[in-house]
Amino acid sequence: MEPLYVEPLSCASVRVGTYKVFPSDEEEYVTVYMTPDSIKFNAPNVEGYFPLCEISIKCDSSNTMKWCLGEKPALFVHPSDAFAEEVRFALDLDLNCPYTFDPALKDFRSMFVILMINFLTEEQIAFIRHHYFPINTCTEINQEGCGKLLYKTAPRLTTQLVRIRLFNEDPSIVWEEGTEEGASAAVKEITVASYRSKSRAGVIPLSNRDVICLNEGKWLNDNIVNFYLEYIYSEYLTESEREKTHIFNSFFYNNISRVTEDDIHVNIPSTESKRYDLVKSWTRKVDLFSKDYIVVPVNNGNHWYLMIVCFPGNMADFSNSLKKSDMNNEKMVNELGCSQFSASMVENSASDCNSIGSQRQGMPCICVFDSIFKRDRSAYAAELVRDYIEVEYKRKKGVFLSFSQMRIFAMNCPQQPNSDDCGGISFKES
């Protein structure tokens, strides 16, 4: 006689339409209970209110149930309209919330209850086959069919930054529209979303390869970083603030920091002018010295951090007003124990704020936000940017102005506890 009870399913998440249920802070998984005629789990109200609501899916009253029992198991339930109405009422999924759940819609993203199952035991598989598969509406799909259905039901990117998790974790796998479930599918990279920035960057496309970088433990790539900065620029800054802010994309620093082929042959570093020439066209219609802030994302050895150049147009007024003691290079090297002059110029923002006080308002400086702070690395990168600004001034204004006195500040930034949170921490804190 087959058992009437089996160990509950452990799920990474459960999605009700576009509403995603995650484990509570105290739990590692979302627990889903199976009985011979139903599947049950608890979910919070969309506002996070307690107590949790019990969601009970009656197997014989669902339109379809598609089980994938392979290496990466999942369950797709297309429920009845009556069930969906009860769930919407229980979870407050009304017209005023950003989530949708309606099996009658043609949008795959709103039609299903989806269980992302971590693993299945032999006992659980036997229970499913014995109690659920005899139901006419219950079918089994293979891993490819499961992946295709997950792709179709993944939430869209809107103006909000929504995290999409492709089941296979391989960013190259995307299924062609019209491919039958279980059939061999074409492999390609496609654009899954695009965002129109209010800056000169215009439309920014994001592909499935880009979006997979948002998964836990993944490293952000250039497109995700550039998208995020443009999104903040467009959605959070006022029009007057945008006029006073310029954002370079992540490829800017890559260009001014690389060594040209001729430099490699003669074994000398690139000069400031050579580095500048690599990006001189980037600002042909932009006056950087009319900006209060210039944002420069930096990727150095797979580590992301951010630099913001502040008030470069004020350099002429400030160059003669800084105290000589602040620029005493030898004294600063001795105090900080740095072997290079460049590293000695990186100052701590918290302590320096008290000594300079109101003079920092409008001060030309470079602020470094780094979640794994290294003084030498920050100094080298900031000096490259400072050299670029100096050459830009000479080329655009026709006169030389030294920016060597532009201060470099290491800003107070939380230090990351792992090797993969650098982009998220540095950009958020800045």
Side-chain angles (χ1 to χ4, degrees):
M1 181 177 178
E2 291 293 333
L4 300 180
Y5 171 84
V6 71
E7 182 182 356
L9 299 174
S10 297
C11 299
S13 65
V14 175
R15 197 161 72 236
V16 181
T18 61
Y19 176 53
K20 202 166 188 178
V21 179
F22 291 100
S24 65
D25 294 338
E26 297 80 17
E27 304 293 335
E28 188 174 357
Y29 306 116
V30 176
T31 301
V32 177
Y33 300 92
M34 296 188 293
T35 70
D37 62 350
S38 66
I39 295 172
K40 301 178 182 180
F41 61 91
N42 294 321
N45 181 284
V46 292
E47 299 295 336
Y49 298 144
F50 288 87
L52 297 175
C53 303
E54 182 182 86
I55 307 299
S56 179
I57 304 172
K58 296 295 183 181
C59 300
D60 57 0
S61 62
S62 298
N63 292 325
T64 60
M65 295 181 65
K66 298 178 182 291
W67 286 91
C68 176
L69 306 180
E71 181 181 354
K72 298 176 179 178
L75 170 62
F76 303 83
V77 180
H78 184 213
S80 65
D81 293 343
F83 170 83
E85 186 174 356
E86 292 177 2
V87 171
R88 287 196 298 268
F89 178 79
L91 300 181
D92 280 348
L93 297 171
D94 54 30
L95 296 177
N96 296 321
C97 83
Y99 309 107
T100 56
F101 176 47
D102 190 345
L105 294 178
K106 293 184 178 180
D107 184 357
F108 271 67
R109 294 158 179 83
S110 302
M111 292 169 56
F112 292 90
V113 176
I114 302 175
L115 275 59
M116 305 295 291
I117 306 169
N118 284 286
F119 57 86
L120 286 173
T121 65
E122 292 184 3
E123 291 78 12
Q124 289 170 331
I125 293 175
F127 185 93
I128 292 168
R129 291 191 182 279
H130 179 77
H131 291 287
Y132 300 150
F133 278 21
I135 303 173
N136 292 334
T137 56
C138 185
T139 58
E140 183 176 3
I141 57 176
N142 63 18
Q143 205 70 65
E144 285 186 275
C146 177
K148 176 175 178 268
L149 196 51
L150 280 167
Y151 170 65
K152 285 185 175 182
T153 57
R156 291 186 183 277
L157 279 175
T158 62
T159 54
Q160 301 295 324
L161 182 59
V162 179
R163 178 174 159 181
I164 296 177
R165 181 182 185 273
L166 295 182
F167 192 70
N168 193 297
E169 295 269 348
D170 181 350
S172 67
I173 295 182
V174 173
W175 285 265
E176 298 271 15
E177 288 295 325
T179 303
E180 294 184 2
E181 294 177 10
S184 297
V187 176
K188 66 174 183 177
E189 180 178 5
I190 68 166
T191 298
V192 296
S194 59
Y195 178 76
R196 182 176 293 278
S197 171
K198 294 177 182 177
S199 76
R200 299 176 59 84
V203 176
I204 303 172
L206 290 177
S207 73
N208 52 313
R209 187 179 297 275
D210 299 327
V211 174
I212 206 73
C213 296
L214 298 173
N215 280 339
E216 185 175 354
K218 301 293 185 182
W219 292 348
L220 301 184
N221 68 3
D222 292 275
N223 287 347
I224 290 294
V225 166
N226 293 331
F227 161 77
Y228 178 75
L229 292 177
E230 292 292 342
Y231 175 78
I232 296 297
Y233 174 91
S234 299
E235 303 296 333
Y236 285 85
L237 301 187
T238 64
E239 184 176 353
S240 60
E241 289 171 336
R242 289 196 293 269
E243 290 177 356
K244 289 294 185 179
T245 305
H246 181 76
I247 297 178
F248 281 115
N249 68 32
S250 60
F251 304 106
F252 170 78
Y253 182 80
N254 291 346
N255 277 279
I256 66 169
S257 62
R258 68 187 177 94
V259 179
T260 66
E261 190 172 333
D262 291 339
D263 296 327
I264 295 175
H265 291 160
V266 297
N267 197 30
I268 61 172
S270 292
T271 64
E272 292 86 345
S273 294
K274 282 185 178 180
R275 295 181 190 274
Y276 175 86
D277 288 338
L278 296 173
V279 293
K280 63 181 180 181
S281 63
W282 290 37
T283 56
R284 66 177 181 273
K285 296 183 179 180
V286 178
D287 180 8
L288 292 182
F289 303 98
S290 69
K291 308 296 183 181
D292 289 345
Y293 304 105
I294 303 170
V295 180
V296 182
V298 177
N299 186 287
N300 191 322
N302 292 324
H303 174 64
W304 286 105
Y305 57 101
L306 195 72
M307 292 189 292
I308 300 180
V309 182
C310 305
F311 308 107
N314 293 353
M315 194 65 218
D317 296 332
F318 272 78
S319 58
N320 296 322
S321 64
L322 295 178
K323 296 179 181 179
K324 291 183 180 181
S325 60
D326 290 334
M327 303 308 298
N328 188 327
N329 303 339
E330 181 178 357
K331 179 180 179 182
M332 293 178 73
V333 171
N334 292 335
E335 285 180 353
L336 297 172
C338 300
S339 60
Q340 300 180 19
F341 161 71
S342 60
S344 72
M345 293 305 297
V346 181
E347 307 174 47
N348 182 281
S349 62
S351 61
D352 196 74
C353 184
N354 295 328
S355 62
I356 296 178
S358 61
Q359 293 185 31
R360 288 195 65 186
Q361 181 64 36
M363 173 188 288
C365 61
I366 299 177
C367 299
V368 182
F369 298 83
D370 192 345
S371 58
I372 305 181
F373 179 70
K374 292 184 178 180
R375 190 175 295 268
D376 289 353
R377 178 178 62 198
S378 296
Y380 176 75
E383 285 191 353
L384 288 181
V385 173
R386 191 168 59 184
D387 291 343
Y388 163 82
I389 295 294
E390 184 174 288
V391 179
E392 171 83 352
Y393 190 92
K394 182 178 180 181
R395 297 282 184 94
K396 292 291 182 69
K397 305 297 183 181
V399 295
F400 173 77
L401 175 65
S402 174
F403 280 73
S404 61
Q405 292 183 350
M406 177 177 273
R407 309 277 289 268
I408 303 170
F409 293 103
M411 306 306 290
N412 185 17
C413 183
Q415 298 298 285
Q416 66 191 72
N418 52 38
S419 63
D420 47 61
D421 281 344
C422 52
I425 293 178
S426 297
F427 298 149
K428 179 181 179 182
E429 292 301 320
S430 59

